[in-house]
Each structure stands twice: as C-alpha cells, then as structure tokens.
Amino acid sequence: MYDLILRGARFEDAVADVAVAGGRIERISPRIQEGGGREIDAGGRLLSPPFIESHVHLDTTLTAGDPRWNESGTLFEGIQIWSERKRSVTREDVISRATELLRWQAAQGVLHVRTHVDVTDPDLTGLKAMLEIREKVRGWTDVQIVAFPQEGILSYPRGTELMEEALRLGADVVGGIPHYEHTREMGAESVRESFRLAEKHDKPIDIHCDETDDPESRFLEVMAAEAIRTGMGQRVTASHTTAFGSYDNAYAFKLMGFLTKAVINFVANPLINITLQGRYDSYPKRRGITRVKELWQNGLNVSLGYDDIMDPWYPLGTGGMLQPAHMAVHACHMTSREEVTACFDMVTENAARTLGLEGYGIAEGGPASFVLVDAPDKWDALRRLATTTLVVRDGEVIAEARPAEHRLMGETVTFQRGTEGLGDFVGQGSGSGERTERG
Ligand code: FE2
C-alpha cells in the first residue's frame, strides 16, 4: 500500500501512474495495480517537477505605492523609493510581506526561491528577518538568500563589511551590482570583491550585472574572466545582463565565445527587464532584455525570474512562474514549438541548475515533490498560462486548485481546439480535482 497514487499523469511522451511512499517516488508505471492511502486522478495533466523562482526580492515585495508610486517607471527611481521605504522597514514588516509572497508562490507550485536581500543597511534588518523566514518555511519551501548590496559594495559606506557580516550570519550566496558603483573602475573592482568574498566563504555568486541599456556597461566580461580564473563556473550566475541586448554584434559575438568557456549561469527577468529598460529611448525603443535566445542556442544555462512583485520597480504580479516564461516567449522571440517549451524549462530544470539543486526532477527513488499543471504539455501550459492544480512536497499534498470553468450559453468553453495530441487530457471543466479517498 502506497501513501499516495497519482493516476494518469502526463510525462513528455506518455501517461503513467506515480506511486509515493515515505516522501519518495516509489514507482512510475503505465498502470499500478496496488492501491494508495490517497488516490488522485491526474486526468492526463502535465506532471512537472516544482517551479523555481531563481531571482526575486522578497524584502521589497508587496510595498508598491508605499511611500509613493514609481511615476517614471525607471530602475533608478525605484532604487530611490526603496531607499526611502527602507527607513521604515522592521523585522515584522519583512516577515509578514515575504511570507505572504512565499505562500502565493507555493500555492502555484513554486517550491524553491532564490531571493536577493538588500544588505546596504547598517542594521541588516531585512537580512536578519529573511534568515528567520528561511527557517520558518523550511517544511514547505526552500529559500536561498543572496547578500545583495543594492547601493553598491564599494560605493556604500562599509559595504564590504556589511557583505561579510551578512555571509557570517548565514546568507547563502554572494551578490553584487557593479553597474551601480560610482565609476567603472569601482564596478570592475566590486566584481572582483564579490569573487574574493565567495572564495573566502565558499559560497556561490549571483551578481546583478549590467542591468542597464548602456552598451558601455561591460561587467559581464569581468565576471566571465573571474569565473575562469577561479574555476567557479557553474557556481556563478549573472542576473539581468540587459546591456547585452544593446551591445553591437561585433562585441556580442566575441563575448559569446568567451562566455561558452566560462560556463556561468544566466538569469533574465523578462517582465521587469522589458518594463524598466528602454525608458530613456524615444523610438525605436529597445526591449532591454539580454540575449536569452542566443545564450540558449549556444548551450548556456538560462533561467527566468520574476525579480519584483508589487514593489517600487514593478507594480503587478502574483509570483506564478509561467508569467515571466510567457513574457520571454514574446520579448525574446522564442515562439517556435521548441522555443516555447524551452521557456517552460527555464522556470524548472534550468533554474534548478542555477540554484545548484541536487535531486531535482521526477524519478523513481527521488523526492516526491512535483506539480500538476492543467495542460497536456509544456507548450500548452504556456499558451493558456495554465493553473497549477496540485502541489506535492515530499509526498504531502500542500496545495490544490480548480481551474476556472468558463460556460457560454450553458456550454463549457475549454480553449482547446480539437483533441489531436491531447491523449487522455480532459481539459478544463471536467475531471478537475476529482479524486477518491481510500484507506
Ligand atoms: Fe533583481
């Protein structure tokens, strides 16, 4: 007798039952005869490992409009507003907002979150609160904390010491923001400082790098050079790199060759990049997003993050990871069948590589952590921004949802055209959430 059996879940190319016991996947088979303590009819829905948020700011989330709205919509006004808001940040304030957002994300199947936390604060209030949250939520979501120097490592008073202190207190990852340092020399030196800290404390690196339209912002090459020099490659992540979208092709070509040797990870944040960048352009306006498609075509690991959810930089959002993936499809011209599917992987498998997760995926003997998405495949999940109907963490059902049912003149509208390729998928409005309880 298993603890849980999922009946008729859709894998890449097959429909199968999944049996769970003791928090692990015991068996995956076209038909499991034995029963389970609980049985859930997956109805042919897509089974996926959990979604992963590889770049968000949980210390700033859910503050949009407080103390004021970002009227210019620029990154720099956002930083100014946050500088004002953070004077009133308290431990309780951060815990309340960040926990709420993690609940929104877990409810949608996001069970691993890498959050940057501003450490340019002499009291490190946000960081200390986030360390508490990381422990408090450990039973249902995994949080990685990046020590993020929002106002610079070298440009902010005692910036390096605050980074050191954050790492000593328990931050998981070393951050950076070279394009915000006062001069380009200080920017390059701050990248080297991040690597020094990472080597000293044996931590991975995730730097906000070249988050600007300025084609002269070239700190990515410094990161790549340091990654090669230190041999830290896969433990290094360059977030944003939006200036890469503005480099001329001659430099971009040289850089791409260099990057394939450095083998670092990239995180793009399509919702925020296309919103914050291009603000100083008239027309034509740049998309302000890194070369996601070309990085992916060159075999580099790219994942996608939200970045901001209802804060001074971005007023919208729910935390569901299909939204940034959906924006990537558009903003990065990734509309072929294969490219759309790749964008789904950028908020699952690729993000697991960025975060350095071990044991991620769906396999017999592996952890029983997975989600059901109300779609027959990854492509359709993105087309319809499908609902995550079931979230299982270490064998426990922690979230369930029913997809919206649309009825037109008494008939259900499923937003599915024909049934080709859909197999057993039942679509919206039938079979959703149906299950039998046994034992
Ligand atoms: Fe960010």
Side-chain angles (χ1 to χ4, degrees), residues 18-236:
V18 179
V20 171
R24 306 199 81 77
I25 295 175
E26 288 281 312
R27 224 174 122 208
I28 300 171
S29 168
R31 178 68 196 165
I32 294 173
Q33 300 295 342
E34 299 94 319
R38 182 173 183 186
E39 302 209 1
I40 295 177
D41 175 13
R45 291 186 181 79
L46 175 66
L47 183 70
S48 169
F51 290 109
I52 299 174
E53 168 62 271
S54 53
H55 185 124
V56 73
H57 296 257
L58 290 179
D59 54 340
T60 62
T61 196
L62 307 185
T63 61
D66 176 15
R68 60 192 172 87
W69 294 92
N70 185 338
E71 297 296 339
S72 69
T74 58
L75 171 70
F76 291 94
E77 184 174 347
I79 293 176
Q80 180 55 41
I81 293 172
W82 178 245
S83 169
E84 295 162 26
R85 176 60 172 80
K86 76 181 180 186
R87 289 176 207 139
S88 64
V89 161
T90 63
R91 167 184 170 272
E92 294 73 21
D93 169 43
V94 175
I95 289 176
S96 156
R97 289 183 289 98
T99 306
E100 184 64 19
L101 203 280
L102 288 169
R103 285 165 49 81
W104 293 8
Q105 293 205 299
Q108 299 178 81
V110 185
L111 299 186
H112 303 274
V113 176
R114 175 178 280 186
T115 179
H116 296 251
V117 180
D118 185 3
V119 297
T120 49
D121 161 18
D123 301 322
L124 295 175
T125 305
L127 178 93
K128 289 172 186 167
M130 201 62 64
L131 290 165
E132 278 189 56
I133 295 166
R134 186 181 65 189
E135 300 314 309
K136 195 177 99 180
V137 304
R138 206 177 269 286
W140 49 276
T141 193
D142 294 323
V143 175
Q144 285 187 4
I145 299 172
V146 185
F148 170 55
Q150 176 77 74
E151 297 184 48
I153 298 177
L154 303 179
S155 305
Y156 189 80
R158 297 183 51 245
T160 300
E161 290 149 70
L162 288 166
M163 290 287 286
E164 286 266 17
E165 178 69 359
L167 293 165
R168 198 186 60 72
L169 288 171
D172 304 290
V173 184
V174 178
I177 187 165
H179 56 278
Y180 195 77
E181 302 284 358
H182 291 155
T183 66
R184 72 175 71 194
E185 289 75 16
M186 288 167 79
E189 188 53 28
S190 80
V191 171
R192 289 189 276 271
E193 188 66 24
S194 292
F195 275 81
R196 272 194 290 273
L197 288 166
E199 285 198 295
K200 179 175 169 188
H201 294 270
D202 189 24
K203 302 285 187 193
I205 291 180
D206 191 335
I207 291 178
H208 280 63
C209 190
D210 302 318
E211 189 186 1
T212 166
D213 290 319
D214 177 8
E216 301 298 316
S217 187
R218 294 183 172 188
F219 298 110
L220 178 53
E221 66 183 19
V222 184
M223 279 192 73
E226 285 293 289
I228 290 171
R229 183 186 67 75
T230 59
M232 284 187 67
Q234 287 169 348
R235 298 186 82 198
V236 176

Side-chain angles (χ1 to χ4, degrees), residues 55 208-211 238-242 267-269 272-273 290 307:
H55 185 124
H208 280 63
C209 190
D210 302 318
E211 189 186 1
S239 279
H240 291 296
T241 65
T242 54
V267 180
N269 300 292
I272 274 58
N273 296 150
T290 195
D307 200 13

Side-chain angles (χ1 to χ4, degrees), residues 43 327 330 337:
M327 179 56 81
H330 298 78
R337 293 288 292 194

Side-chain angles (χ1 to χ4, degrees), residues 207-357:
I207 291 178
H208 280 63
C209 190
D210 302 318
E211 189 186 1
T212 166
D213 290 319
D214 177 8
E216 301 298 316
S217 187
R218 294 183 172 188
F219 298 110
L220 178 53
E221 66 183 19
V222 184
M223 279 192 73
E226 285 293 289
I228 290 171
R229 183 186 67 75
T230 59
M232 284 187 67
Q234 287 169 348
R235 298 186 82 198
V236 176
T237 298
S239 279
H240 291 296
T241 65
T242 54
F244 202 172
S246 289
Y247 296 155
D248 71 59
N249 281 338
Y251 175 66
F253 182 81
K254 175 243 178 188
L255 180 62
M256 191 67 83
F258 186 31
L259 293 173
T260 57
K261 294 191 185 78
V263 207
I264 63 176
N265 306 296
F266 289 83
V267 180
N269 300 292
L271 293 162
I272 274 58
N273 296 150
I274 203 160
T275 306
L276 291 180
Q277 305 304 319
R279 290 282 177 167
Y280 304 100
D281 291 354
S282 55
Y283 286 92
K285 283 183 192 283
R286 284 169 287 181
R287 294 178 183 220
I289 189 161
T290 195
R291 301 189 184 208
V292 170
K293 185 168 172 170
E294 292 75 12
L295 288 164
W296 169 72
Q297 286 170 334
N298 278 279
L300 287 153
N301 184 47
V302 184
S303 61
L304 304 172
Y306 230 106
D307 200 13
D308 298 289
I309 301 165
M310 297 189 73
D311 73 5
W313 295 275
Y314 185 67
L316 311 180
T318 66
M321 294 312 298
L322 290 182
Q323 294 177 34
H326 190 260
M327 179 56 81
V329 168
H330 298 78
C332 308
H333 281 169
M334 295 191 66
T335 47
S336 77
R337 293 288 292 194
E338 188 189 1
E339 289 161 359
V340 170
T341 296
C343 288
F344 186 98
D345 294 339
M346 289 179 188
V347 292
T348 51
E349 294 162 27
N350 297 16
R353 277 201 286 283
T354 299
L355 267 59
L357 301 183

